[in-house]
Amino acid sequence: MSTDLPMFPLGTVLFPGEVLPLQVFEPRYLAMVDHCLAQPDRLRFGVVLIARGHEVGGGDERTGVGTIARITSCRPGGGARLLIGCVGEQRIRVDEWLPDDPYPRAAVTEWPDEPSEVSAASARELTDRLAEFGGLHARWSALQGHPSWSVPVWDDLPGSDGDRGFALARSLPIGAIDRLRVLSAPGPCERVLVLCDALADVVAALRFRLADPGGAEEDV
């Protein structure tokens, strides 16, 4: 069953369980926050990725998969700004975009993971990719003088396979499109395969940077 929900299109993807700090200043989103804070059962809004366009000013093109964010804190910022803290909860599909009056809204349906089991082979492949990335990242971090990344162990991550996939994705330096692919994976098995592909791209980028450390300055 669809539920009408305030929506906040952003230039990032929010995962279930992920903490999201926001600085709100546009009048339409200030009105949205006021609506959400008016009653204890309204402290939720949907977050979707902007496929094309900008966060400020409207006129953006939005993706159809997102996550419900629950407001956990709100305090005044400088000027007419609000600083709000949120945490991702359930994954959602957008059934229909409603008029942006006075803020973006949509009819959404919660989208729980479809049943699938992560095979031993897929778990091994992911573990190998993580180990490869961890080793390369340690070398890159040493060159940059930054702390190295602590490689998580799949079996040690808490929760179900679906929870583990999201927990791992939250810690990886992958781009918005790969994050959207992770969020859009129907179930845990497919999510692990997406993570393996995304890690392969990150590993390739690290290998390129390590081959020419003077030509790449960005962090990984």
Side-chain angles (χ1 to χ4, degrees), residues 24-209:
V24 182
F25 57 90
E26 278 196 87
R28 55 180 176 159
Y29 292 122
L30 290 171
M32 185 196 78
V33 172
D34 284 345
H35 166 86
C36 291
L37 295 177
Q39 296 181 19
D41 61 348
R42 289 187 187 170
L43 298 176
R44 307 191 324 159
F45 58 89
V47 173
V48 294
L49 176 68
I50 295 174
R52 187 175 291 107
H54 304 281
E55 293 181 358
V56 179
D60 49 81
E61 182 179 322
R62 306 156 185 172
T63 57
V65 177
T67 301
I68 292 176
R70 177 172 53 84
I71 297 175
T72 57
S73 64
C74 180
R75 60 186 178 87
R81 297 170 183 261
L82 291 177
L83 305 178
I84 65 174
C86 311
V87 62
E89 294 190 331
Q90 297 91 345
R91 179 173 63 165
I92 54 174
R93 280 191 178 108
V94 175
D95 300 318
E96 179 186 5
W97 284 100
L98 305 174
D100 286 16
D101 185 16
Y103 42 77
R105 299 178 302 125
V108 305
T109 302
E110 291 187 9
W111 184 16
D113 269 349
E114 299 172 10
S116 65
E117 185 175 344
V118 176
S119 68
S122 293
R124 281 196 302 271
E125 181 182 357
L126 181 59
T127 298
D128 291 344
R129 300 268 189 184
L130 286 169
E132 185 179 19
F133 170 65
L136 292 170
H137 192 273
R139 290 170 56 192
W140 177 255
S141 297
L143 287 172
Q144 299 297 308
H146 297 159
S148 60
W149 185 66
S150 178
V151 181
V153 178
W154 174 257
D155 289 338
D156 291 345
L157 293 170
S160 65
D161 283 350
D163 295 332
R164 291 174 180 180
F166 284 132
L168 180 57
R170 292 196 296 267
S171 71
L172 293 175
I174 56 178
I177 297 303
D178 279 332
R179 285 173 67 92
L180 181 63
R181 291 176 60 217
V182 171
L183 185 65
S184 302
C189 178
E190 297 85 357
R191 187 165 300 125
V192 164
L193 296 178
V194 171
L195 286 168
C196 286
D197 286 345
L199 276 168
D201 292 339
V202 174
V203 164
L206 268 175
R207 287 192 181 280
F208 177 79
R209 291 171 187 170

